[in-house]
Amino acid sequence: MQSTWKVYILAIVSFLVGTSEYIISGILDQIATTMGITVAAAGQLITVFSLAYAIGTPILMAITAKWDRRKLLLYSLGLFAVANVLSFVLPGFGMFIAARILMALGAGMVVVTALSIAAKIAPAGRQASSIATVTMGFTASLIIGVPLGRMISSAYGWKTVFLGIALTGIIALIIIAMTIPRLKGDQPVPLLQQFALLKKPEVALGLAITFFWLGGYSLAYTYISPYLLNVSGVGEDMLSSVLLAFGIASLIGSKIGGYSADKKGIPLTLFGGMILHVISLLLLPFAAHALIAVFALLILWSFAAWTSGPTQQYNLVTLVPESSGVMLSLNQSTMQLSMAAGAGIGGVVVGQVSLASITWFGAAGVAIAIVAVYLLSRRSSVQTEVSVTE
């Protein structure tokens, strides 16, 4: 029981990190208004965060590989808390971007270290479930963190959200220092050795699925608040409720996706989820100003999108079972790069085309992911046939 509570503490930390990352989408319009910038420019805050996370995390983790895990978690969580304080106190868009970069670097190390500690302190045979519990913190940030952040920002100003995250992070830091034991670091895996896996065609295709699936999702989700307010006609009083329903649907989708991957197989689950993902994004503009239809399509979108989450992680592990840890690390970086690309392209679409069209461009990204799933499944089938004939 003692180790179980320690894992839940780590899950709360991952919830804070997830909220700090995803909350921008929930308050994008308020940031733009307060700072006197366009919504497209504000959306690049997600691009900056994701790029810093994707590029900085593997480098910093390689440098600190031998560090005691508790020490590394405390240092990285401290950096994360300081960055949130800076987000609250520093004026101007440029300073906020600098704080977001520091926040991303701290967040990346917090997540990887928390997952590592969860596996190390878990009872025998419970490592996978402990990692899943920590990962659920991210899902909870979509369900609770984003709508709650929207409510707080509407009442007290959007910067207050980051002050709240910082204070909670400091409390978590104290609790971790008192409860998490000292744990030895890992043998470092050179970055070149990690990236060598990318030479394998099946690995490249597998990561391409992640990139285009999540990139298409991020392209639309980054601008969900201004889209709902200005295109779909959802009122400010309803927005938090809509975001809450969106988050709950993501949790259900994640659970159903994992179950389906076990029972129906990876390709069928990915194909089914992504096809529904594309359909919901294509139909959303046609439901403008019909609140019930918008609500239904948002739930379908979130549910369908997140059925692919656990399925895709399992898919990547099965591609190179002997290097599962490295594959999951590469997938984390790919996810952040795809969110950066989605937010960046979405900004261009909003600025040069229209806010209403972002869902169609997002659907195009997911459609490319479907093609990648098909190519990977074809390649796997061919390899299986060759193995049988031999």
Side-chain angles (χ1 to χ4, degrees), residues 67-310:
W67 284 27
D68 171 80
R69 297 294 91 179
R70 184 183 70 170
K71 175 183 175 182
L72 180 57
L73 182 59
L74 291 173
Y75 277 42
S76 53
L77 186 56
L79 175 61
F80 173 76
V82 168
N84 276 278
V85 171
L86 293 176
S87 297
F88 177 73
V89 300
L90 292 179
F93 187 57
M95 289 295 187
F96 189 41
I97 286 179
R100 288 289 290 175
I101 292 172
L102 285 178
M103 197 186 302
L105 295 176
M109 290 193 293
V110 165
V111 170
V112 176
T113 308
L115 290 171
S116 174
I117 291 174
K120 289 176 184 287
I121 66 176
R126 296 287 303 276
Q127 287 88 347
S129 61
S130 294
I131 291 173
T133 299
V134 176
T135 305
M136 284 294 290
F138 276 95
T139 308
S141 70
L142 274 174
I143 299 170
I144 303 170
V146 174
L148 181 62
R150 179 74 193 193
M151 290 166 56
I152 292 172
S153 65
S154 296
Y156 303 106
W158 62 266
K159 283 201 169 191
T160 310
V161 174
F162 295 100
L163 178 62
I165 292 173
L167 293 175
T168 311
I170 292 169
I171 294 171
L173 194 150
I174 295 170
I175 295 172
I176 287 169
M178 296 170 59
T179 58
I180 300 297
R182 294 174 62 88
L183 297 164
K184 289 180 62 176
D186 301 319
Q187 197 62 31
V189 179
L191 287 175
L192 290 178
Q193 185 177 326
Q194 295 184 37
F195 293 136
L197 284 174
L198 296 175
K199 295 179 182 178
K200 296 185 176 184
E202 61 271 21
V203 171
L205 273 173
L207 292 175
I209 294 170
T210 294
F211 184 85
F212 287 105
W213 152 64
L214 198 54
Y217 171 86
S218 176
L219 197 156
Y221 181 73
T222 297
Y223 300 93
I224 187 171
S225 290
Y227 182 92
L228 292 174
L229 290 169
N230 300 311
V231 178
S232 298
V234 174
E236 175 67 41
D237 57 331
M238 283 290 297
L239 187 56
S240 295
S241 299
V242 172
L243 292 174
L244 176 61
F246 191 93
I248 293 172
S250 72
L251 175 62
I252 297 171
S254 181
K255 287 288 188 183
I256 296 296
Y259 178 80
S260 176
D262 286 335
K263 299 296 183 180
K264 304 295 184 181
I266 294 170
L268 183 62
T269 303
L270 288 177
F271 276 127
M274 289 182 186
I275 288 170
L276 285 176
H277 192 165
V278 169
I279 291 171
S280 60
L281 287 176
L282 289 177
L283 291 179
L284 199 53
F286 296 104
H289 304 295
L291 186 58
I292 295 177
V294 169
F295 200 76
L297 286 171
L298 281 173
I299 290 175
L300 178 62
W301 170 24
S302 183
F303 171 84
W306 287 105
T307 59
S308 302

Side-chain angles (χ1 to χ4, degrees), residues 15-26 45-46 49-50 53 80 84 100 103 107 111 138 141 146 162 165 221 332 335-336 339-340:
F15 169 79
L16 291 176
V17 171
T19 300
S20 72
E21 179 170 6
Y22 296 131
I23 188 59
I24 296 296
S25 298
L45 289 165
I46 294 176
F49 186 100
S50 296
Y53 188 119
F80 173 76
N84 276 278
R100 288 289 290 175
M103 197 186 302
V111 170
F138 276 95
S141 70
V146 174
F162 295 100
I165 292 173
Y221 181 73
Q332 282 289 317
M335 289 173 71
Q336 294 297 328
M339 286 192 281

Side-chain angles (χ1 to χ4, degrees), residues 321-376:
E322 68 277 9
S323 300
S324 59
V326 175
M327 285 299 298
L328 290 174
S329 176
L330 288 173
N331 190 49
Q332 282 289 317
S333 290
T334 302
M335 289 173 71
Q336 294 297 328
L337 287 172
S338 67
M339 286 192 281
I345 295 170
V348 174
V349 171
V350 171
Q352 302 299 321
V353 186
S354 69
L355 180 60
S357 65
I358 57 167
T359 58
W360 291 343
F361 282 88
V366 181
I368 296 173
I370 293 174
V371 174
V373 172
Y374 172 76
L375 293 175
L376 182 59

